[in-house]
Amino acid sequence: MTKNVPAKTVGRLSLYRRLLRRLDARENPHIFSHALADLAGVSAAQVRRDLMTVGCGGSPARGYGVNELIDELSAFLDAPEAQNVVLIGVGNLGRALLAYFPARRPRARIVAAFDTDAQKAGRVILGCRCHAVSEMEEVIRREGVSAAIIAVPAAHAQDVAETAVRAGVRGLLNFAPVPLRVPAHIYTEDIDISTSLDKVMYFARAGFGADDVRND
Amino acid sequence: MTKNVPAKTVGRLSLYRRLLRRLDARENPHIFSHALADLAGVSAAQVRRDLMTVGCGGSPARGYGVNELIDELSAFLDAPEAQNVVLIGVGNLGRALLAYFPARRPRARIVAAFDTDAQKAGRVILGCRCHAVSEMEEVIRREGVSAAIIAVPAAHAQDVAETAVRAGVRGLLNFAPVPLRVPAHIYTEDIDISTSLDKVMYFARAGFGADDVRND
DNA sequence: ACTTGTGAACCATTTCACAGCT
DNA sequence: AGCTGTGAAATGGTTCACAAGT
């Protein structure tokens, strides 16, 4: 069924949904592609093409129905039932993620965390039970976890990724500053903060003329 | 001079440099494009093209000199002197970033942090002086800050971005889950953790056949 | 008059493939 | 024999532009 929607499109659809939810649908129950495009910082044609890709339609007279769109996007983006997620690495970043996620993402339940620090094993940190890394494979299997968030130092990232994949995880959100070598059918999203800062520092440098920077 | 190198290429160059630094140049003072490609998870042709773009050369016999490459990449990526950066928003994520960055990025000095919480103003958090947001414009000007890291809630992101830009910042690293509307000559890198998790959740779902997922 | 939906054109980026070097 | 450097081709993604709808 799913017609091979590009990752970039999925990303924008997630953004559209978030922006639409911030709108008060009572004030304005409909929105035109160019208005949503403005909010998202993309072109109107891009919005229409993205929505078309997942079968969302609007009317030339009124545009797209806000609530309708939110529901259709959710039907596309969300799995039928909530998906279980684990966090690997409960350092500074890991704790920030624990504080950030559970609140606003009820469809992705962080069911367990793992850390090599023996002090942390067994404790409950920010509402999330923390286990030793040695228990990871068993817990992931038992809980039917579909994705893992990797927030460990570079040196351990490949290792924990392999363990997670062996246990049946199908998606990885990788904050470690190294690319992971995993089988092709495992989806990996890298969030490389160091590289991002390098890019910002590079383009923030004085010396770019009229600034014809090609961003993506 | 700088010949309009695409942001994606700059990102990979930053990655190559990081990977090369992890190598022990004594063990292996030279590296072939396919070996570096393997480490970076890209094609060998990609590596050669990227290095060519910034004028790095190798020899068909030995490949590229590791230390030489690190130096050439640094000459390209780094500004002549260290650049000053500020952090806006000292919540959970902001503190994690403070703990993460200063250690490993000596070229990007986080010279100040800002928060609306009056409790934090004046204090030194993780080695970084924290100011009230009202002082932001003045501090950014005084310190000659070239980039800002935005780690505030969605509702405040546009506001603080505008203030930072008004004060002369040229690059933004945005962790808030909304796109920023800033002038075209300001480089913005969005790190949208919510969207990234949505993408992982989407592609981690069961039901993708032989997995012909188009990633980027 | 202003919109949506969409084939076609366009553009950026990646990969191919091979000449030239060692 | 195996590499680098690089035009040329291919791929993937975005924008154009316009027919059709209201």
Side-chain angles (χ1 to χ4, degrees), chain A residues 91-158:
Chain A
N92 288 305
L93 180 59
R95 279 194 300 273
L97 294 172
L98 272 185
Y100 183 80
F101 275 135
R104 54 207 97 186
R105 313 232 38 284
R107 312 276 319 176
R109 294 178 17 210
I110 302 189
V111 295
F114 301 94
D115 202 288
T116 36
D117 184 348
Q119 295 293 101
K120 286 171 189 152
R123 284 181 50 206
V124 173
I125 296 173
L126 288 160
C128 185
R129 172 138 229 120
C130 188
H131 304 260
V133 176
S134 55
E135 299 173 44
M136 188 159 78
E137 200 162 341
E138 193 244 316
V139 174
I140 289 178
R141 266 187 230 284
R142 171 158 36 88
E143 300 278 353
V145 169
S146 55
I149 301 169
I150 297 178
V152 302
H156 297 88
Q158 181 62 36

Side-chain angles (χ1 to χ4, degrees), chain B residues 118-192:
Chain B
Q119 295 294 99
K120 286 171 187 150
R123 285 180 50 205
V124 173
I125 297 173
L126 288 160
C128 184
R129 172 140 229 120
C130 189
H131 303 260
V133 177
S134 56
E135 299 173 45
M136 189 158 79
E137 200 162 342
E138 192 244 316
V139 174
I140 289 178
R141 266 187 230 284
R142 170 158 37 91
E143 301 279 352
V145 169
S146 55
I149 301 169
I150 296 178
V152 301
H156 297 87
Q158 180 62 35
D159 248 24
V160 300
E162 281 171 19
T163 305
V165 168
R166 202 172 336 114
V169 151
R170 305 170 56 92
L172 297 170
L173 181 53
N174 176 38
F175 286 88
V178 285
L180 302 175
R181 314 275 244 78
V182 292
H185 65 281
I186 305 297
Y187 181 82
T188 304
E189 177 87 10
D190 291 299
I191 296 192
D192 188 333

Side-chain angles (χ1 to χ4, degrees), chain B residues 25-38:
Chain B
R26 262 172 253 207
E27 275 190 3
N28 224 338
H30 292 268
I31 189 167
F32 291 120
S33 63
H34 61 82
L36 184 50
D38 256 26

Side-chain angles (χ1 to χ4, degrees), chain A residues 26-39:
Chain A
R26 260 173 256 206
E27 274 189 4
N28 225 336
H30 292 268
I31 188 167
F32 290 120
S33 62
H34 60 81
L36 183 51
D38 257 25
L39 290 174

Side-chain angles (χ1 to χ4, degrees), chain A residues 3 22 39 44 46 64 73 89 91 117 119 121 123 132 167 187 189 210 212:
Chain A
K3 284 184 177 172
R22 291 167 67 84
L39 290 174
Q46 180 83 83
Y64 300 85
L73 290 175
D117 184 348
Q119 295 293 101
R123 284 181 50 206
Y187 181 83
E189 177 88 9
D212 26 11

Side-chain angles (χ1 to χ4, degrees), chain B residues 68-89:
Chain B
E68 197 182 11
L69 212 44
I70 292 173
D71 290 346
E72 287 172 317
L73 290 175
S74 294
F76 173 79
L77 291 169
D78 295 335
E81 331 90 52
Q83 289 167 281
N84 289 343
V85 180
V86 293
L87 170 69
I88 310 176

